[in-house]
Amino acid sequence: MSAAISPAVIVEDCLPRYQQFVSSKRETSGEAITPVLVQAGSPVDSQLTCAADQTYVRWDLGPIAVNTASIRSSTPSRSSAPSATGLYTNTTVVSSPVDPSP
């Protein structure tokens, strides 16, 4: 594989409490992106720690050229219960097994 291509790009997301994953797509093409894992709380092999009441979502985007802004995704979610007024944080990590940055 070329040094200019990351062999695997993984995106991990913790949806805030009261949010449920609905779907995801590439903003530029509208192409669906199917997650490889959706569950309550983060799995043991995750690089992201989600609380048990948060929804963890993982996508494997495959090879992507290094230093490009080629991926923008849209991930709508819906409220699973009436939520209190307040600020909710959505935490996401993008990583590659060959990327040495923290």
Side-chain angles (χ1 to χ4, degrees):
M1 179 141 307
S2 167
I5 301 290
S6 176
V9 174
I10 305 297
V11 177
E12 297 175 287
D13 192 359
C14 284
L15 295 177
R17 185 176 176 200
Y18 302 119
Q19 296 293 303
Q20 292 179 325
F21 174 77
V22 175
S23 63
S24 55
K25 65 179 179 177
R26 296 180 194 269
E27 277 189 357
T28 53
S29 68
E31 172 188 5
I33 307 170
T34 303
V36 293
L37 182 61
V38 178
Q39 70 177 44
S42 51
V44 294
D45 66 338
S46 174
Q47 295 199 23
L48 185 63
T49 302
C50 302
D53 64 353
Q54 293 180 303
T55 300
Y56 172 87
V57 185
R58 177 186 298 167
W59 296 266
D60 181 346
L61 301 180
I64 295 177
V66 174
N67 293 324
T68 62
S70 60
I71 298 297
R72 284 187 63 185
S73 67
S74 173
T75 307
S77 60
R78 66 174 172 253
S79 181
S80 60
S83 56
T85 301
L87 178 65
Y88 294 90
T89 302
N90 183 1
T91 304
T92 303
V93 170
V94 179
S95 63
S96 176
V98 296
D99 183 358
S101 63

